Amino acid sequence: MVNTIPGPDFSDRTWSNWVEPQFVDVDGLPTAYRRAGSGPTLVYLHPGGGTRSWPSFPDALSKNFDVIAPEHPGFGDTARPANIDSWPDFVLHYDAFFRALGLENFHLVGSSFGAWIAANLAIYYPERYASLTLITPLGTRIEDEPFIDVFRFSGEEDFEAVFNGRGAALLPELAQGSMLETAITNFYESTTAALLFFNPRYDYKLDVRLQRVQVPTLVVGVEDDRIAGNLQAARFHQLIPGSDLITIPGPDGQPSAHGVVFEQPGDVATVIVDYVASKALTQEVTV
């Protein structure tokens, strides 16, 4: 039985993909999450954006899974206490979150920043999950690729890089509230990200630690990643024993982009469903 707690008043939120979250107490921190679908349990860890909503990607996954999508500390409607400012802190938070919801042997999926968190969770708890999927991950040290400094991007430059210049078509789904409110939310979330990887912009220990991952792992890359770089997905695949690597082709013959979970949610969801089925990880998934 999940002990949910009351959340704030959200009556002023009317944007298109708004879904009111539930809250659960995690070591004293009211943690926002959304849940939908049926089937095997899957936890989705969002990227640096896409909070305060129920985007198309978790919705697509919910056709085959019982999807739980929490908001990280310092993102969306989950506050960030002063004592949460490192990767181990996030790992401990999610360990407590999973325990609070009584989750065991579930599928773990992370995108971008969320993939970095998911990778750490699988490092510290290598046998806990039914499967692990890392979508456009980042965080390893790659010396042979030009450095992409995401913290120097303006809001417009970041949006351009995430979608390779094709983001305008997604604005109706992504827009939330006033421009000022959106700017404040983006700054708040970027500040949390900076606490974790502003300096350095990678974790050199992943080169060794990713070898601890023991669950079936799928790494999903794209054709032109202007946020993580084009060698990150292959590097994660190389470092995680027995992992599989799939590159999602882009729309209309154009190279796929870092924001693939927003631009091509159905394609990414299908890849995950097919992977879980091909590995016979559960008898409950339908394709």
Side-chain angles (χ1 to χ4, degrees):
M1 182 73 177
V2 179
N3 184 25
T4 57
I5 58 178
D9 179 15
F10 293 121
S11 59
D12 60 334
R13 298 191 178 179
T14 59
W15 45 81
S16 62
N17 58 2
W18 165 251
V19 172
E20 186 167 345
Q22 301 179 69
F23 286 83
V24 63
D25 185 293
V26 179
D27 291 340
L29 175 63
T31 299
Y33 71 98
R34 294 168 177 84
R35 188 170 192 168
S38 61
T41 300
L42 181 151
V43 172
Y44 171 58
L45 302 182
H46 64 78
T51 59
R52 305 192 307 163
S53 67
W54 180 255
S56 297
F57 178 58
D59 191 60
L61 287 172
S62 71
K63 304 300 188 294
N64 290 278
F65 298 97
D66 167 22
V67 177
I68 300 170
E71 291 184 329
H72 316 316
F75 287 80
D77 292 303
T78 302
R80 182 185 58 77
N83 64 311
I84 296 183
D85 60 4
S86 70
W87 293 114
D89 293 330
F90 271 65
V91 169
L92 292 174
H93 167 80
Y94 272 114
D95 172 57
F97 175 80
F98 300 151
R99 294 175 187 275
L101 268 64
L103 304 180
E104 296 180 2
N105 194 37
F106 54 92
H107 302 284
L108 181 64
V109 176
S111 175
S112 186
F113 176 78
W116 198 339
I117 298 174
N120 273 287
L121 286 165
I123 287 168
Y124 282 87
Y125 301 96
E127 300 174 337
R128 183 178 217 164
Y129 312 102
S131 73
L132 173 68
T133 300
L134 306 176
I135 305 164
T136 58
L138 66 161
T140 67
R141 178 178 55 180
I142 297 179
E143 299 178 351
D144 299 330
E145 187 166 55
F147 175 58
I148 301 173
D149 192 347
V150 296
F151 289 108
R152 289 187 178 273
F153 286 165
S154 67
E156 293 77 12
E157 290 170 334
D158 182 69
F159 195 71
E160 173 84 11
V162 168
F163 298 110
N164 294 0
R166 300 188 297 266
L170 298 171
L171 281 174
E173 177 181 351
L174 298 177
Q176 297 183 351
S178 68
M179 292 182 63
L180 176 59
E181 181 183 7
T182 299
I184 292 172
T185 297
N186 290 344
F187 178 79
Y188 173 68
E189 295 180 346
S190 296
T191 299
T192 299
L195 285 171
L196 296 178
F197 66 98
F198 186 82
N199 184 26
R201 307 299 171 83
Y202 56 81
D203 182 356
Y204 69 91
K205 292 185 178 181
L206 289 176
D207 287 7
V208 173
R209 289 180 174 179
L210 285 172
Q211 298 174 39
R212 286 175 48 84
V213 179
Q214 297 179 19
V215 298
T217 300
L218 173 65
V219 182
V220 179
V222 294
E223 296 166 324
D224 184 15
D225 194 324
R226 302 179 189 179
I227 295 292
N230 291 325
L231 301 182
Q232 281 284 344
R235 182 65 174 154
F236 273 84
H237 168 55
Q238 177 187 16
L239 293 171
I240 298 175
S243 63
D244 292 275
L245 174 65
I246 291 178
T247 300
I248 301 287
D252 303 321
Q254 302 177 73
S256 50
H258 185 79
V260 66
V261 294
F262 297 102
E263 189 175 19
Q264 300 174 251
D267 294 340
V268 185
T270 296
V271 162
I272 294 171
V273 171
D274 289 348
Y275 178 76
V276 169
S278 71
K279 295 296 183 179
L281 298 174
T282 176
Q283 300 301 315
E284 299 180 65
V285 175
T286 58
V287 182

